[in-house]
Amino acid sequence: MAKLFTSAKVGAFQLNHRVALAPMTRVRTIQPGDIPSPMMADFYGQRASKGGLLVIEAASVSAQARSYLGAASIFHDGQHEGWKAIADAVHAKGGYAFLQLIHGGRQSHVDVAGGATPVAPSEVPFEGVALTKDGFVPVSPHRALRIEEIPGIVEDFRVAAERAKKAGFDGVELHAANGYLVDQFIQDGTNKRTDAYGGPVENRVRFMREALEALISVFGADRVGVRISPSGEWGGISDSDPQATFSHVAKVLDGYGIAYLHFIEPRIKGDDTLHAGHPVVAASYLRPHFSGPIIAAGGFDREDAIATVEKGDADLIAFGRHFSSNPDLPYRLQHDLPLTPYVRAAFWGGNETNYSDFPAYGEGVARPEQDEANTVAAA
């Protein structure tokens, strides 16, 4: 049997297989209030499997941290029951659920950030978009964080972890990828600070370390993961020497004994494939610097996933797009069964259609809706 379908120890948990669900922003909370909806609980329950790991979509740690209207957040009591229902649905199938925690930083708009001006490590020109009641619109101008504001944001992460633990999640994942706030601090294209949080990479990872330590204080290191995106392009992010920067990040994270390091291959940008068939890059140069479990994501098909795990560049493979339309993806991959095409039009908001109504194998037939990208076996 291929190693991808064998058991693995990840942090505090013994998994039955190595196919994980990647976090996907799907914009299906109940408004106002970002209340996790019943269809979200259905979606995650359907994709849970005995001993399988699900990383639940990014939840903003405050109103200021929000980037997309309708996306998840976890900062007020009214959201508790919705999050509990999701954790319960995963546990009912014998799975494990880690909730990803995020601050959007400059990827935001005053209309979704509670009227607050978006913040970042530094003021650097940025032409990104945020999702508001008017659809995707240019982000609002951002400002540089004052150093005395940073502890408050770290505390937001800690409180969000407390809420996740109370809701029943098995752990949390720090979102340090895709050009959001933690990533903005790490990479020198967005971090021009000259204080203790800027300059050399040792300073640029300080915010990541503080946020991580806040999460560990709640869950313990073996129930906390971190996601990064070396050389990723989402969010207008850049670094002058990404291999050196993220090798250092991996070394720093290795010192904490966290549950896993989760990274996105640079062949993917958000939900788009940039470089189909590109060899696995990040896995090969991060592995020597991180001794714990590594989860690789971004553009994997069945054969690539099997080969990457067999080679030892990663211990688990996370799938997003194909998991969106195949609730029983681990089973289908193990038995080399056909995959139902994903529906790109349903990625960013909508109802149950093309979201929580995809059948498991044998329960229905593949639906006709698909785009040209669906011919590429990528996740």
Side-chain angles (χ1 to χ4, degrees):
M1 182 184 296
K3 192 175 181 181
L4 183 67
F5 310 112
T6 64
S7 63
K9 184 74 160 50
V10 175
F13 307 102
Q14 187 69 40
L15 305 183
N16 286 13
H17 59 78
R18 300 163 185 256
V19 178
L21 171 69
M24 297 177 286
T25 295
R26 301 301 300 274
V27 194
R28 280 172 169 81
T29 61
I30 299 168
Q31 297 301 312
D34 299 350
I35 311 299
S37 59
M39 65 174 148
M40 290 170 62
D42 289 342
F43 177 86
Y44 288 110
Q46 292 162 0
R47 280 148 189 81
S49 59
K50 184 174 179 58
L53 175 64
L54 278 64
V55 184
I56 309 301
E57 64 197 86
S60 298
V61 299
S62 67
Q64 181 201 52
R66 300 167 80 219
S67 297
Y68 309 108
L69 180 66
S73 62
I74 183 165
F75 61 84
H76 66 79
D77 291 344
Q79 297 160 332
H80 171 75
E81 289 301 325
W83 284 123
K84 183 178 183 299
I86 289 172
D88 288 349
V90 174
H91 294 154
K93 296 278 286 290
Y96 301 109
F98 275 48
L99 179 63
Q100 189 184 68
L101 300 178
I102 185 175
H103 191 300
R106 68 179 189 173
Q107 293 195 54
S108 189
H109 190 281
V110 293
D111 287 353
V112 296
T117 299
V119 295
S122 309
E123 291 183 24
V124 177
F126 177 51
E127 297 180 352
V129 295
L131 181 60
T132 73
K133 65 182 187 307
D134 299 315
F136 281 99
V137 301
V139 296
S140 297
H142 61 278
R143 64 172 178 83
L145 276 165
R146 300 185 300 275
I147 195 167
E148 64 269 20
E149 295 178 285
I150 294 175
I153 295 178
V154 172
E155 175 65 5
D156 288 338
F157 274 98
R158 190 196 67 78
V159 172
E162 290 277 14
R163 291 184 179 278
K165 188 174 185 180
K166 181 180 178 182
F169 286 97
D170 301 293
V172 288
E173 178 180 278
L174 177 63
H175 197 338
N178 289 349
Y180 296 108
L181 185 62
V182 180
D183 202 16
Q184 291 162 30
F185 270 94
I186 292 172
Q187 303 207 46
D188 62 16
T190 44
N191 187 343
K192 306 298 183 182
R193 300 177 75 95
T194 58
D195 60 15
Y197 291 88
V201 67
E202 292 82 3
N203 286 0
R204 300 198 313 271
V205 301
R206 187 184 303 273
F207 179 71
M208 178 195 74
R209 294 183 72 147
E210 292 177 353
L212 174 61
E213 288 167 7
L215 304 186
I216 290 173
S217 73
V218 175
F219 273 97
D222 62 354
R223 292 173 180 259
V224 176
V226 177
R227 195 181 212 209
I228 59 176
S229 53
S231 299
E233 299 179 32
W234 183 272
I237 204 74
S238 66
D239 190 86
S240 60
D241 191 347
Q243 185 162 336
T245 292
F246 285 97
S247 293
H248 180 79
V249 168
K251 292 175 188 175
V252 168
L253 295 175
D254 194 43
Y256 284 96
I258 58 174
Y260 61 81
L261 172 60
H262 183 184
F263 61 80
I264 309 167
E265 285 289 336
R267 56 192 176 187
I268 290 293
K269 180 181 180 181
D271 56 24
D272 290 322
T273 300
L274 295 180
H275 312 291
H278 196 287
V280 176
V281 176
S284 60
Y285 77 76
L286 291 178
R287 174 84 280 178
H289 305 294
F290 188 81
S291 60
I294 284 181
I295 303 175
F300 286 92
D301 59 19
R302 182 179 186 273
E303 291 71 26
D304 195 15
I306 290 173
T308 299
V309 172
E310 294 290 344
K311 185 179 177 183
D313 284 341
D315 301 285
L316 287 83
I317 305 297
F319 291 85
R321 292 176 296 186
H322 284 315
F323 230 140
S324 76
S325 53
N326 295 274
D328 54 345
L329 184 65
Y331 177 83
R332 295 199 196 200
L333 292 178
Q334 181 174 355
H335 297 282
D336 200 13
L337 298 171
L339 301 183
T340 302
Y342 52 82
V343 181
R344 185 174 296 277
F347 284 175
W348 292 86
N351 54 25
E352 293 86 350
T353 303
N354 296 323
Y355 175 69
S356 57
D357 63 343
F358 284 102
Y361 187 77
E363 293 179 354
V365 296
R367 59 195 68 212
E369 304 99 327
Q370 57 184 294
D371 57 45
E372 66 279 0
N374 292 349
T375 63
V376 178

